[in-house]
Amino acid sequence: MTALPPGGGGDPRTAGTRARLRQALLDACAERPLDEIRVAALARRAGLGRATFYLHYADLQALAVDACAEVVRDAVDALHAWRGIPDPRTPPPPLTAFFVGLTPHAALYRTLLRPGGGGPLGELLHRQLRERSRAERALAGAPAPDLIASAVAAVFAGVLADWLHGLVEDTPEDIATRIWRLLVALHRLPVT
């Protein structure tokens, strides 16, 4: 069984049920690691039955990825939150806010985003960031949209994951600045 699309395909009851399950998971993960949470307890926390959970999600990991999908959208939007010519020294404020805002659910993100950028959340982040970067680069007529989009997605997902896992030590503000500078440099590489 696969999870329904976010929002449940338009049915407000489905969207509401999924929202309750996502919030229950985020609340539970604020108290303990994902691998210690059980479906039955999570469903009770959401005020639902266990069978209802399985109507919407194949397992807890599918729910966790759905619950964290917003952070992926936030990351992609934050990286593209500039217009005109970007300042190579200073990241757009939404990028810094993105890193600062990761703290409350960092343990859950670490579960789904392995060092190096792998894991289900890393795969989702890489795919969505690559698609957005490629589309914007192609629209601007910049060279090598596929190559640069892949590099941007890989660098961002990898550094983000390593930072969350403590392999790169920096404050949220400093990592935002450093990753921004890396990504601007990638866009400036002569690849023709």
Side-chain angles (χ1 to χ4, degrees):
M1 176 186 296
T2 59
L4 297 171
D11 180 353
R13 291 172 301 165
T14 298
T17 299
R18 290 171 63 88
R20 287 169 57 189
L21 287 167
R22 286 189 302 264
Q23 189 59 55
L25 179 76
L26 292 173
D27 293 345
C29 285
E31 299 167 5
R32 66 177 117 349
L34 179 64
D35 62 355
E36 292 180 14
I37 297 170
R38 300 294 169 250
V39 170
L42 182 75
R44 275 193 308 275
R45 185 180 200 132
L48 302 166
R50 190 169 190 238
T52 301
F53 174 90
Y54 286 110
L55 286 174
H56 297 276
Y57 296 100
D59 54 28
L60 281 173
Q61 182 171 308
L63 169 59
V65 170
D66 188 30
C68 294
E70 186 174 339
V71 80
V72 169
R73 285 188 297 277
D74 291 347
V76 172
D77 289 344
L79 281 170
H80 294 89
W82 53 272
R83 294 292 168 249
I85 299 172
D87 178 351
R89 295 175 316 273
T90 307
L95 184 59
T96 302
F98 167 76
F99 278 97
V100 170
L102 291 175
T103 305
H105 302 296
L108 176 58
Y109 302 146
R110 281 191 295 272
T111 301
L112 302 170
L113 184 63
R114 291 190 294 271
L121 193 59
E123 292 166 9
L124 180 63
L125 175 60
H126 187 278
R127 184 173 53 253
Q128 289 188 11
L129 183 54
R130 185 185 186 286
E131 288 170 8
R132 175 88 170 265
S133 295
R134 190 207 175 286
E136 289 199 5
R137 194 162 173 89
L139 184 63
D146 292 322
L147 175 68
I148 297 300
S150 290
V152 164
V155 166
F156 186 80
V159 172
L160 171 62
D162 288 355
W163 178 73
L164 283 169
H165 284 276
L167 301 173
V168 175
E169 293 186 22
D170 251 331
T171 66
E173 296 82 5
D174 288 342
I175 196 65
T177 298
R178 294 173 75 193
I179 201 163
W180 176 250
R181 290 176 182 169
L182 278 171
L183 297 178
V184 167
L186 276 174
H187 279 285
R188 291 181 171 176
L189 286 174
V191 290
T192 56

